[in-house]
Amino acid sequence: MRGTPDGIAYAAIVGTPVGSGRILGIDVSVAEALPGVIAIIYDDARMPAGESNSRAMPLFDTDVILHLGQPVAIVVAEDQAIARDAAALVVVRTEAGEDRFDVEAQPVDTAPKIGFLPPIDNGDLDAVMADAAVTFDRTYTTPVHFPAALEPHATTAWWDGDKLTVRSSNQVIGGARKTIAKALKIDADKVRVLAPYVGGGFGGKTGVGPEAILAAIAAEVVGRPVKVAPPPSPDRVHGASPFAHDAAHPHRCRRARRDPGHGA
């Protein structure tokens, strides 16, 4: 079945207004009073926080703010406009931490829990460089990249008993199925992922974004199919920041040679 069951509800994600610090509280009283709001979910321990990639799970159930726009609540309403209006009324109280704009100033994580290759530390490079006849030391940088396709990261999720169907703009549906199942703590054979239309991806839709997990949680809570398609926005609070992007990368290349050698 490719069609969506009747009775679809719409959702909007609420993100943190700051990029680091801690979440002190969430006030949904005004948003809940808006006509057309079905539910506001913000205390489910399965809600993803951040620090995920295509090979690792995000953090869950934490008050630590990892990035601007970190998902902290999802508003479910009768239509998309109401959901977005209500999301703007949710108050997220935070204790702002130190800004982290300089990538090179951040401490190096020597034992990362995510990533493709472990760090390699073999020998004293500084000593080798000091004794070498010829050395090369250059730093190259690339800026932050957002794969900002016209088609958004969108998901529609619905449950049939204990079985979940997710229709998502995802480029790797096999991996998505396993990731969603792991995040929701259910068997993978109870998750079906459909991706008939992906739109632009540019690598940004190879992993599972938080919107897919949040849509599944919301659909389970309200007992209806839930659709979420976060729009891009200038401040990225409800736009691309919670989703896949390529961080700024400083690359330092150092080489040493004992003898000067010959040739060009």
Side-chain angles (χ1 to χ4, degrees):
M1 179 181 66
R2 288 198 174 191
T4 305
D6 295 333
I8 190 169
Y10 297 83
I13 299 171
V14 179
T16 54
V18 297
S20 68
R22 291 188 175 274
I23 301 165
L24 301 179
I26 299 174
D27 184 354
V28 300
S29 57
V30 177
E32 283 182 325
L34 194 69
V37 171
I38 300 169
I40 302 178
I41 306 158
Y42 60 92
D43 55 359
D44 194 305
R46 299 170 298 172
M47 293 179 62
E51 283 200 345
S52 66
N53 66 16
S54 58
R55 295 192 181 184
M57 293 299 295
L59 295 179
F60 297 90
D61 196 21
T62 179
D63 64 351
V64 177
I65 299 173
L66 303 164
H67 60 82
L68 180 67
Q70 177 176 315
V72 294
I74 184 164
V75 178
V76 187
E78 294 294 348
D79 66 40
Q80 194 170 64
I82 295 173
R84 292 178 180 173
D85 287 346
L89 296 174
V90 175
V91 178
V92 182
R93 294 188 296 108
T94 63
E95 179 183 72
E98 183 180 355
D99 291 331
R100 297 170 295 177
F101 298 122
D102 187 350
V103 174
E104 296 187 51
Q106 305 309 310
V108 176
D109 187 353
T110 58
K113 295 180 181 179
I114 64 174
F116 295 97
L117 294 172
I120 299 173
D121 189 354
N122 186 12
D124 189 342
L125 179 59
D126 289 331
V128 172
M129 294 284 287
D131 294 338
V134 179
T135 61
F136 178 88
D137 190 343
R138 293 285 190 276
T139 298
Y140 304 92
T141 62
T142 58
V144 175
H145 288 86
F146 283 97
L150 290 176
E151 298 82 6
H153 292 255
T155 294
T156 302
W158 63 93
W159 293 81
D160 183 6
D162 62 350
K163 295 183 178 180
L164 171 67
T165 299
V166 173
R167 190 171 65 210
S168 180
S169 53
N170 189 281
Q171 294 173 260
V172 187
I173 59 175
R177 179 170 169 261
K178 294 177 182 178
T179 300
I180 293 169
K182 187 175 181 181
L184 299 176
K185 297 179 173 61
I186 60 177
D187 293 335
D189 61 4
K190 293 183 178 180
V191 179
R192 185 185 186 200
V193 177
L194 306 174
Y197 305 106
V198 175
F202 313 111
K205 296 177 181 176
T206 54
V208 173
E211 82 288 347
I213 299 170
L214 292 170
I217 292 172
E220 184 180 40
V221 170
V222 303
R224 291 170 57 177
V226 170
K227 180 177 184 177
V228 57
S233 60
D235 62 5
R236 300 296 188 186
V237 171
H238 296 92
S241 61
F243 309 112
H245 68 280
D246 191 19
H249 291 291
H251 300 272
R252 187 179 182 187
C253 180
R254 304 172 72 191
R255 302 184 66 179
R257 183 170 178 150
R258 289 193 179 96
D259 61 86
H262 301 281

